[in-house]
mmCIF file of all heavy atoms in Angstrom:
data_model
loop_
_atom_site.group_PDB
_atom_site.id
_atom_site.type_symbol
_atom_site.label_atom_id
_atom_site.label_comp_id
_atom_site.label_asym_id
_atom_site.label_seq_id
_atom_site.Cartn_x
_atom_site.Cartn_y
_atom_site.Cartn_z
ATOM 1 N N LEU X 452 -5.323 -17.232 54.346
ATOM 2 C CA LEU X 452 -6.013 -17.558 53.088
ATOM 3 C C LEU X 452 -7.308 -16.769 52.962
ATOM 4 O O LEU X 452 -7.609 -16.185 51.921
ATOM 5 C CB LEU X 452 -6.345 -19.056 53.032
ATOM 6 C CG LEU X 452 -5.222 -20.031 52.709
ATOM 7 C CD1 LEU X 452 -5.708 -21.468 52.940
ATOM 8 C CD2 LEU X 452 -4.749 -19.859 51.270
ATOM 9 N N LEU X 453 -8.061 -16.754 54.056
ATOM 10 C CA LEU X 453 -9.338 -16.044 54.027
ATOM 11 C C LEU X 453 -9.116 -14.555 53.775
ATOM 12 O O LEU X 453 -9.814 -13.929 52.976
ATOM 13 C CB LEU X 453 -10.089 -16.264 55.351
ATOM 14 C CG LEU X 453 -11.473 -15.605 55.409
ATOM 15 C CD1 LEU X 453 -12.419 -16.200 54.373
ATOM 16 C CD2 LEU X 453 -12.075 -15.724 56.816
ATOM 17 N N TYR X 454 -8.114 -14.026 54.456
ATOM 18 C CA TYR X 454 -7.811 -12.598 54.279
ATOM 19 C C TYR X 454 -7.521 -12.273 52.810
ATOM 20 O O TYR X 454 -8.079 -11.333 52.247
ATOM 21 C CB TYR X 454 -6.613 -12.219 55.169
ATOM 22 C CG TYR X 454 -5.883 -10.990 54.686
ATOM 23 C CD1 TYR X 454 -6.432 -9.719 54.842
ATOM 24 C CD2 TYR X 454 -4.645 -11.109 54.048
ATOM 25 C CE1 TYR X 454 -5.763 -8.591 54.367
ATOM 26 C CE2 TYR X 454 -3.984 -9.999 53.569
ATOM 27 C CZ TYR X 454 -4.541 -8.736 53.728
ATOM 28 O OH TYR X 454 -3.885 -7.642 53.247
ATOM 29 N N TRP X 455 -6.657 -13.043 52.178
ATOM 30 C CA TRP X 455 -6.300 -12.738 50.784
ATOM 31 C C TRP X 455 -7.510 -12.884 49.856
ATOM 32 O O TRP X 455 -7.697 -12.108 48.929
ATOM 33 C CB TRP X 455 -5.177 -13.663 50.291
ATOM 34 C CG TRP X 455 -3.820 -13.361 50.857
ATOM 35 C CD1 TRP X 455 -3.053 -14.194 51.611
ATOM 36 C CD2 TRP X 455 -3.059 -12.153 50.708
ATOM 37 N NE1 TRP X 455 -1.859 -13.589 51.954
ATOM 38 C CE2 TRP X 455 -1.842 -12.338 51.403
ATOM 39 C CE3 TRP X 455 -3.287 -10.926 50.064
ATOM 40 C CZ2 TRP X 455 -0.843 -11.352 51.468
ATOM 41 C CZ3 TRP X 455 -2.291 -9.948 50.124
ATOM 42 C CH2 TRP X 455 -1.096 -10.160 50.817
ATOM 43 N N MET X 456 -8.324 -13.873 50.131
ATOM 44 C CA MET X 456 -9.518 -14.040 49.292
ATOM 45 C C MET X 456 -10.488 -12.881 49.485
ATOM 46 O O MET X 456 -11.087 -12.376 48.525
ATOM 47 C CB MET X 456 -10.198 -15.386 49.606
ATOM 48 C CG MET X 456 -9.401 -16.579 49.076
ATOM 49 S SD MET X 456 -9.941 -18.162 49.781
ATOM 50 C CE MET X 456 -11.518 -18.366 49.038
ATOM 51 N N MET X 457 -10.630 -12.457 50.722
ATOM 52 C CA MET X 457 -11.533 -11.324 50.986
ATOM 53 C C MET X 457 -10.994 -10.040 50.364
ATOM 54 O O MET X 457 -11.746 -9.227 49.818
ATOM 55 C CB MET X 457 -11.734 -11.142 52.503
ATOM 56 C CG MET X 457 -12.620 -12.210 53.120
ATOM 57 S SD MET X 457 -12.604 -12.176 54.947
ATOM 58 C CE MET X 457 -13.261 -10.543 55.280
ATOM 59 N N LEU X 458 -9.683 -9.870 50.447
ATOM 60 C CA LEU X 458 -9.082 -8.666 49.850
ATOM 61 C C LEU X 458 -9.286 -8.673 48.331
ATOM 62 O O LEU X 458 -9.628 -7.652 47.725
ATOM 63 C CB LEU X 458 -7.587 -8.583 50.195
ATOM 64 C CG LEU X 458 -6.862 -7.338 49.681
ATOM 65 C CD1 LEU X 458 -7.430 -6.064 50.325
ATOM 66 C CD2 LEU X 458 -5.350 -7.419 49.957
ATOM 67 N N THR X 459 -9.106 -9.845 47.740
ATOM 68 C CA THR X 459 -9.303 -9.967 46.295
ATOM 69 C C THR X 459 -10.732 -9.575 45.925
ATOM 70 O O THR X 459 -10.966 -8.805 44.995
ATOM 71 C CB THR X 459 -9.037 -11.416 45.853
ATOM 72 O OG1 THR X 459 -7.746 -11.805 46.315
ATOM 73 C CG2 THR X 459 -9.085 -11.556 44.339
ATOM 74 N N ARG X 460 -11.684 -10.094 46.678
ATOM 75 C CA ARG X 460 -13.096 -9.814 46.410
ATOM 76 C C ARG X 460 -13.414 -8.327 46.591
ATOM 77 O O ARG X 460 -14.105 -7.722 45.781
ATOM 78 C CB ARG X 460 -13.971 -10.668 47.348
ATOM 79 C CG ARG X 460 -15.478 -10.419 47.254
ATOM 80 C CD ARG X 460 -16.079 -10.847 45.920
ATOM 81 N NE ARG X 460 -15.825 -12.237 45.600
ATOM 82 C CZ ARG X 460 -16.595 -13.263 45.957
ATOM 83 N NH1 ARG X 460 -17.680 -13.057 46.665
ATOM 84 N NH2 ARG X 460 -16.272 -14.493 45.585
ATOM 85 N N ARG X 461 -12.850 -7.770 47.638
ATOM 86 C CA ARG X 461 -13.155 -6.362 47.915
ATOM 87 C C ARG X 461 -12.597 -5.470 46.795
ATOM 88 O O ARG X 461 -13.260 -4.545 46.325
ATOM 89 C CB ARG X 461 -12.565 -5.964 49.282
ATOM 90 C CG ARG X 461 -12.897 -4.557 49.695
ATOM 91 C CD ARG X 461 -14.400 -4.386 49.983
ATOM 92 N NE ARG X 461 -14.763 -2.966 49.962
ATOM 93 C CZ ARG X 461 -15.679 -2.418 49.154
ATOM 94 N NH1 ARG X 461 -16.359 -3.174 48.303
ATOM 95 N NH2 ARG X 461 -15.917 -1.131 49.189
ATOM 96 N N ILE X 462 -11.390 -5.777 46.364
ATOM 97 C CA ILE X 462 -10.781 -4.968 45.294
ATOM 98 C C ILE X 462 -11.556 -5.164 43.989
ATOM 99 O O ILE X 462 -11.797 -4.215 43.237
ATOM 100 C CB ILE X 462 -9.286 -5.327 45.133
ATOM 101 C CG1 ILE X 462 -8.520 -4.837 46.363
ATOM 102 C CG2 ILE X 462 -8.700 -4.716 43.860
ATOM 103 C CD1 ILE X 462 -7.062 -5.216 46.377
ATOM 104 N N ASP X 463 -11.970 -6.389 43.759
ATOM 105 C CA ASP X 463 -12.761 -6.697 42.555
ATOM 106 C C ASP X 463 -14.062 -5.880 42.554
ATOM 107 O O ASP X 463 -14.414 -5.237 41.555
ATOM 108 C CB ASP X 463 -13.060 -8.205 42.557
ATOM 109 C CG ASP X 463 -13.799 -8.665 41.310
ATOM 110 O OD1 ASP X 463 -13.585 -8.080 40.240
ATOM 111 O OD2 ASP X 463 -14.585 -9.629 41.426
ATOM 112 N N ASP X 464 -14.749 -5.889 43.693
ATOM 113 C CA ASP X 464 -16.001 -5.120 43.791
ATOM 114 C C ASP X 464 -15.742 -3.628 43.606
ATOM 115 O O ASP X 464 -16.490 -2.926 42.925
ATOM 116 C CB ASP X 464 -16.658 -5.339 45.170
ATOM 117 C CG ASP X 464 -17.276 -6.726 45.281
ATOM 118 O OD1 ASP X 464 -17.466 -7.382 44.225
ATOM 119 O OD2 ASP X 464 -17.543 -7.174 46.414
ATOM 120 N N ARG X 465 -14.683 -3.177 44.230
ATOM 121 C CA ARG X 465 -14.345 -1.754 44.158
ATOM 122 C C ARG X 465 -14.011 -1.374 42.710
ATOM 123 O O ARG X 465 -14.387 -0.297 42.243
ATOM 124 C CB ARG X 465 -13.155 -1.491 45.082
ATOM 125 C CG ARG X 465 -12.979 -0.062 45.450
ATOM 126 C CD ARG X 465 -14.143 0.433 46.328
ATOM 127 N NE ARG X 465 -13.853 1.781 46.805
ATOM 128 C CZ ARG X 465 -14.094 2.897 46.110
ATOM 129 N NH1 ARG X 465 -14.658 2.822 44.929
ATOM 130 N NH2 ARG X 465 -13.760 4.080 46.599
ATOM 131 N N CYS X 466 -13.331 -2.268 42.022
ATOM 132 C CA CYS X 466 -12.987 -2.012 40.614
ATOM 133 C C CYS X 466 -14.263 -1.897 39.776
ATOM 134 O O CYS X 466 -14.372 -1.023 38.918
ATOM 135 C CB CYS X 466 -12.102 -3.124 40.054
ATOM 136 S SG CYS X 466 -10.379 -2.952 40.507
ATOM 137 N N GLU X 467 -15.206 -2.779 40.042
ATOM 138 C CA GLU X 467 -16.444 -2.729 39.276
ATOM 139 C C GLU X 467 -17.143 -1.387 39.495
ATOM 140 O O GLU X 467 -17.619 -0.746 38.546
ATOM 141 C CB GLU X 467 -17.360 -3.885 39.684
ATOM 142 C CG GLU X 467 -18.574 -3.986 38.778
ATOM 143 C CD GLU X 467 -19.581 -5.063 39.225
ATOM 144 O OE1 GLU X 467 -19.189 -5.981 39.974
ATOM 145 O OE2 GLU X 467 -20.745 -4.960 38.816
ATOM 146 N N ALA X 468 -17.173 -0.967 40.761
ATOM 147 C CA ALA X 468 -17.825 0.314 41.072
ATOM 148 C C ALA X 468 -17.085 1.465 40.389
ATOM 149 O O ALA X 468 -17.700 2.342 39.775
ATOM 150 C CB ALA X 468 -17.861 0.510 42.584
ATOM 151 N N LEU X 469 -15.770 1.454 40.491
ATOM 152 C CA LEU X 469 -14.985 2.534 39.867
ATOM 153 C C LEU X 469 -15.191 2.550 38.357
ATOM 154 O O LEU X 469 -15.291 3.608 37.736
ATOM 155 C CB LEU X 469 -13.495 2.363 40.203
ATOM 156 C CG LEU X 469 -13.113 2.687 41.654
ATOM 157 C CD1 LEU X 469 -11.727 2.121 41.983
ATOM 158 C CD2 LEU X 469 -13.140 4.204 41.905
ATOM 159 N N PHE X 470 -15.257 1.352 37.783
ATOM 160 C CA PHE X 470 -15.507 1.263 36.332
ATOM 161 C C PHE X 470 -16.847 1.912 36.009
ATOM 162 O O PHE X 470 -16.963 2.720 35.086
ATOM 163 C CB PHE X 470 -15.483 -0.200 35.888
ATOM 164 C CG PHE X 470 -15.933 -0.404 34.460
ATOM 165 C CD1 PHE X 470 -15.049 -0.202 33.405
ATOM 166 C CD2 PHE X 470 -17.244 -0.787 34.167
ATOM 167 C CE1 PHE X 470 -15.464 -0.378 32.086
ATOM 168 C CE2 PHE X 470 -17.669 -0.961 32.862
ATOM 169 C CZ PHE X 470 -16.768 -0.763 31.809
ATOM 170 N N LYS X 471 -17.852 1.561 36.793
ATOM 171 C CA LYS X 471 -19.195 2.076 36.505
ATOM 172 C C LYS X 471 -19.304 3.578 36.753
ATOM 173 O O LYS X 471 -20.116 4.255 36.135
ATOM 174 C CB LYS X 471 -20.247 1.285 37.287
ATOM 175 C CG LYS X 471 -20.341 -0.117 36.684
ATOM 176 C CD LYS X 471 -21.420 -1.001 37.250
ATOM 177 C CE LYS X 471 -21.532 -2.259 36.378
ATOM 178 N NZ LYS X 471 -21.998 -3.429 37.118
ATOM 179 N N GLN X 472 -18.442 4.072 37.659
ATOM 180 C CA GLN X 472 -18.419 5.526 37.880
ATOM 181 C C GLN X 472 -17.592 6.250 36.820
ATOM 182 O O GLN X 472 -17.428 7.464 36.883
ATOM 183 C CB GLN X 472 -17.814 5.835 39.256
ATOM 184 C CG GLN X 472 -18.700 5.452 40.429
ATOM 185 C CD GLN X 472 -17.889 5.307 41.721
ATOM 186 O OE1 GLN X 472 -16.772 5.810 41.833
ATOM 187 N NE2 GLN X 472 -18.447 4.597 42.684
ATOM 188 N N GLY X 473 -17.013 5.497 35.918
ATOM 189 C CA GLY X 473 -16.216 6.142 34.874
ATOM 190 C C GLY X 473 -14.810 6.517 35.310
ATOM 191 O O GLY X 473 -14.156 7.341 34.681
ATOM 192 N N CYS X 474 -14.315 5.890 36.386
ATOM 193 C CA CYS X 474 -12.973 6.237 36.875
ATOM 194 C C CYS X 474 -11.861 5.491 36.146
ATOM 195 O O CYS X 474 -10.689 5.784 36.335
ATOM 196 C CB CYS X 474 -12.862 5.955 38.371
ATOM 197 S SG CYS X 474 -14.005 6.927 39.335
ATOM 198 N N PHE X 475 -12.214 4.477 35.374
ATOM 199 C CA PHE X 475 -11.205 3.755 34.594
ATOM 200 C C PHE X 475 -11.394 4.115 33.118
ATOM 201 O O PHE X 475 -12.503 3.949 32.588
ATOM 202 C CB PHE X 475 -11.370 2.238 34.731
ATOM 203 C CG PHE X 475 -11.133 1.682 36.110
ATOM 204 C CD1 PHE X 475 -11.526 0.376 36.410
ATOM 205 C CD2 PHE X 475 -10.506 2.429 37.091
ATOM 206 C CE1 PHE X 475 -11.305 -0.162 37.671
ATOM 207 C CE2 PHE X 475 -10.289 1.901 38.363
ATOM 208 C CZ PHE X 475 -10.695 0.605 38.657
ATOM 209 N N PRO X 476 -10.339 4.541 32.464
ATOM 210 C CA PRO X 476 -10.483 4.812 31.033
ATOM 211 C C PRO X 476 -10.804 3.551 30.228
ATOM 212 O O PRO X 476 -11.414 3.624 29.166
ATOM 213 C CB PRO X 476 -9.114 5.365 30.630
ATOM 214 C CG PRO X 476 -8.386 5.655 31.894
ATOM 215 C CD PRO X 476 -9.005 4.846 32.977
ATOM 216 N N GLY X 477 -10.394 2.385 30.714
ATOM 217 C CA GLY X 477 -10.624 1.123 29.994
ATOM 218 C C GLY X 477 -11.456 0.163 30.818
ATOM 219 O O GLY X 477 -12.069 0.548 31.819
ATOM 220 N N GLY X 478 -11.482 -1.094 30.412
ATOM 221 C CA GLY X 478 -12.310 -2.088 31.086
ATOM 222 C C GLY X 478 -11.589 -2.758 32.245
ATOM 223 O O GLY X 478 -10.437 -2.463 32.539
ATOM 224 N N ILE X 479 -12.307 -3.661 32.904
ATOM 225 C CA ILE X 479 -11.709 -4.410 34.018
ATOM 226 C C ILE X 479 -12.358 -5.794 34.103
ATOM 227 O O ILE X 479 -13.571 -5.919 34.035
ATOM 228 C CB ILE X 479 -11.854 -3.620 35.349
ATOM 229 C CG1 ILE X 479 -11.021 -4.239 36.463
ATOM 230 C CG2 ILE X 479 -13.305 -3.471 35.770
ATOM 231 C CD1 ILE X 479 -9.615 -3.727 36.535
ATOM 232 N N PHE X 480 -11.538 -6.832 34.231
ATOM 233 C CA PHE X 480 -12.053 -8.204 34.310
ATOM 234 C C PHE X 480 -12.653 -8.483 35.675
ATOM 235 O O PHE X 480 -12.221 -7.921 36.673
ATOM 236 C CB PHE X 480 -10.927 -9.205 34.056
ATOM 237 C CG PHE X 480 -10.358 -9.116 32.682
ATOM 238 C CD1 PHE X 480 -9.105 -8.568 32.463
ATOM 239 C CD2 PHE X 480 -11.085 -9.560 31.592
ATOM 240 C CE1 PHE X 480 -8.588 -8.477 31.182
ATOM 241 C CE2 PHE X 480 -10.577 -9.466 30.308
ATOM 242 C CZ PHE X 480 -9.318 -8.923 30.104
ATOM 243 N N SER X 481 -13.624 -9.380 35.711
ATOM 244 C CA SER X 481 -14.182 -9.789 36.998
ATOM 245 C C SER X 481 -13.360 -10.940 37.574
ATOM 246 O O SER X 481 -12.709 -11.685 36.843
ATOM 247 C CB SER X 481 -15.632 -10.241 36.805
ATOM 248 O OG SER X 481 -15.657 -11.486 36.134
ATOM 249 N N GLN X 482 -13.373 -11.043 38.881
ATOM 250 C CA GLN X 482 -12.572 -12.067 39.577
ATOM 251 C C GLN X 482 -13.455 -13.041 40.346
ATOM 252 O O GLN X 482 -12.969 -14.051 40.855
ATOM 253 C CB GLN X 482 -11.607 -11.385 40.565
ATOM 254 C CG GLN X 482 -10.715 -10.326 39.941
ATOM 255 C CD GLN X 482 -9.682 -10.917 39.000
ATOM 256 O OE1 GLN X 482 -9.192 -12.030 39.205
ATOM 257 N NE2 GLN X 482 -9.349 -10.194 37.947
ATOM 258 N N GLU X 483 -14.744 -12.732 40.453
ATOM 259 C CA GLU X 483 -15.610 -13.462 41.367
ATOM 260 C C GLU X 483 -15.729 -14.932 40.979
ATOM 261 O O GLU X 483 -16.090 -15.262 39.845
ATOM 262 C CB GLU X 483 -17.000 -12.810 41.415
ATOM 263 C CG GLU X 483 -17.702 -13.104 42.714
ATOM 264 C CD GLU X 483 -18.902 -12.179 42.936
ATOM 265 O OE1 GLU X 483 -18.745 -10.949 42.847
ATOM 266 O OE2 GLU X 483 -19.993 -12.721 43.172
ATOM 267 N N GLY X 484 -15.422 -15.773 41.942
ATOM 268 C CA GLY X 484 -15.458 -17.212 41.709
ATOM 269 C C GLY X 484 -14.075 -17.807 41.484
ATOM 270 O O GLY X 484 -13.914 -19.025 41.462
ATOM 271 N N HIS X 485 -13.069 -16.943 41.326
ATOM 272 C CA HIS X 485 -11.713 -17.428 41.043
ATOM 273 C C HIS X 485 -10.763 -17.266 42.238
ATOM 274 O O HIS X 485 -9.596 -17.631 42.143
ATOM 275 C CB HIS X 485 -11.126 -16.674 39.848
ATOM 276 C CG HIS X 485 -11.653 -17.154 38.534
ATOM 277 N ND1 HIS X 485 -10.970 -18.023 37.720
ATOM 278 C CD2 HIS X 485 -12.825 -16.910 37.903
ATOM 279 C CE1 HIS X 485 -11.680 -18.277 36.632
ATOM 280 N NE2 HIS X 485 -12.822 -17.612 36.720
ATOM 281 N N GLU X 486 -11.273 -16.738 43.347
ATOM 282 C CA GLU X 486 -10.368 -16.366 44.440
ATOM 283 C C GLU X 486 -9.656 -17.565 45.049
ATOM 284 O O GLU X 486 -8.485 -17.479 45.428
ATOM 285 C CB GLU X 486 -11.148 -15.620 45.529
ATOM 286 C CG GLU X 486 -11.760 -14.302 45.066
ATOM 287 C CD GLU X 486 -13.155 -14.442 44.461
ATOM 288 O OE1 GLU X 486 -13.570 -15.578 44.140
ATOM 289 O OE2 GLU X 486 -13.850 -13.419 44.305
#
Side-chain angles (χ1 to χ4, degrees):
Chain X
L452 283 170
L453 182 64
Y454 157 74
W455 287 119
M456 288 165 70
M457 287 169 62
L458 183 64
T459 306
R460 176 67 56 89
R461 183 67 198 121
I462 291 176
D463 184 32
D464 287 344
R465 199 67 173 84
C466 280
E467 188 185 339
L469 288 164
F470 171 82
K471 290 185 170 151
Q472 289 160 19
C474 298
F475 295 166
I479 191 88
F480 296 107
S481 72
Q482 305 291 327
E483 205 165 308
H485 282 261
E486 297 88 346

